[in-house]
Amino acid sequence: MSIDPRIMKSLLQLQMMPSLDLNGNENVLSSASGQDGSSMFDTLLQQYMAGGTGSSALADMAAQPGMISLEALSGLVPLIQSAAAQSSTAGDSSPSEYDAYINAAASKYGIDPVLIKAVIHTESSYNPNAESSAGAKGLMQLMDGTARGLGVTDSFDPQQNIEGGTKFLAYLMRKYDGNEQTVLAAYNAGPGRVDRAGIKSNEDFTAMMSLLPHETQRYVAKVQRAKDQYDGSI
């Protein structure tokens, strides 16, 4: 299940919210861990997203030395429950809902529709209203400056966003001679960053990916995994 970037931002803020132990000292919620070493916050969220009440995670958390009472921890329940509920609906849009736009853009710009779907899946989990903390918007997460250059006037309009994002992919495909890993790295980090790293091909990417942000390295791998999944579903 994917979580809207705005929901994720709220969850991270909640996760770092300080709580007080019985001596008045600050504890960070994310430092409380279950037996498997995972964040108790994550465990609680996962229980809600799985349809549970989260009571066992709360009890485990309250039982840890220095943590505040179960009653006090229960105050987090409505916040996490709300976030989980929103997470479950944020990605309600499905790939098929946008197939007509995707296929039209793919045909117009000569891009594999499966690649477009994989980028949308990775960028926004098919949430047309997604907006990152950096200001990237819509299904293919276009920055305002990039969107304007692509002729997009409303990045939250699915048809415009897919058209613009695909047009940008086509530009990158031409620039990097169809080297998909390099194209995806440039889509995420920007072609200027990729060019400064001296990366021009997939071989360059493999050899010099360490020169790019870790986020970009992970992004390329995520899109390619998503593409494999979409390929397998056709």
Side-chain angles (χ1 to χ4, degrees):
M1 180 178 294
S2 299
I3 299 179
D4 186 303
R6 291 169 296 180
I7 301 299
M8 180 62 73
K9 180 180 178 182
S10 298
L11 292 178
L12 290 173
Q13 290 172 339
L14 278 174
Q15 191 175 21
M16 296 306 296
M17 182 175 66
S19 59
L20 297 178
D21 63 19
L22 296 177
N23 298 317
N25 298 316
E26 284 194 355
N27 273 332
V28 178
L29 184 60
S30 60
S31 68
S33 300
Q35 291 181 350
D36 62 354
S38 62
S39 163
M40 290 299 288
F41 179 94
D42 294 336
T43 302
L44 183 57
L45 175 61
Q46 288 167 10
Q47 287 191 15
Y48 274 113
M49 294 178 76
T53 65
S55 57
S56 62
L58 280 175
D60 289 344
M61 192 186 299
Q64 295 192 42
M67 289 304 293
I68 57 178
S69 67
L70 178 60
E71 290 76 16
L73 284 171
S74 295
L76 290 173
V77 170
L79 297 173
I80 299 175
Q81 190 172 28
S82 174
Q86 291 182 63
S87 298
S88 67
T89 59
D92 277 351
S93 298
S94 66
S96 60
E97 184 175 345
Y98 303 109
D99 272 356
Y101 300 149
I102 291 170
N103 290 334
S107 177
K108 182 176 181 178
Y109 295 108
I111 298 296
D112 183 354
V114 174
L115 177 61
I116 300 171
K117 290 181 180 182
V119 170
I120 295 173
H121 175 95
T122 306
E123 290 283 359
S124 67
S125 296
Y126 282 87
N127 177 8
N129 299 311
E131 183 172 4
S132 75
S133 58
K137 298 172 181 175
L139 290 168
M140 298 186 76
Q141 290 289 276
L142 302 178
M143 297 296 290
D144 287 343
T146 302
R148 284 192 296 271
L150 295 167
V152 176
T153 58
D154 181 3
S155 290
F156 293 118
D157 177 81
Q159 184 174 12
Q160 286 194 48
N161 192 286
I162 291 171
E163 166 92 9
T166 304
K167 185 176 182 179
F168 188 42
L169 281 175
Y171 160 74
L172 295 174
M173 282 289 187
R174 292 192 300 272
K175 178 178 174 64
Y176 298 109
D177 296 321
N179 285 272
E180 188 174 286
Q181 288 177 304
T182 306
V183 167
L184 293 173
Y187 191 95
N188 178 261
R193 187 77 175 262
V194 170
D195 291 346
R196 287 193 296 274
I199 298 173
K200 299 179 180 179
S201 66
N202 290 340
E203 290 75 15
D204 291 341
F205 176 81
T206 300
M208 298 184 285
M209 69 172 71
S210 61
L211 299 176
L212 297 174
H214 290 299
E215 175 193 347
T216 299
Q217 298 174 43
R218 291 192 296 268
Y219 174 84
V220 173
K222 286 179 181 179
V223 175
Q224 292 193 308
R225 284 197 299 271
K227 186 182 177 187
D228 288 342
Q229 291 173 358
Y230 282 111
D231 264 331
S233 66
I234 295 175

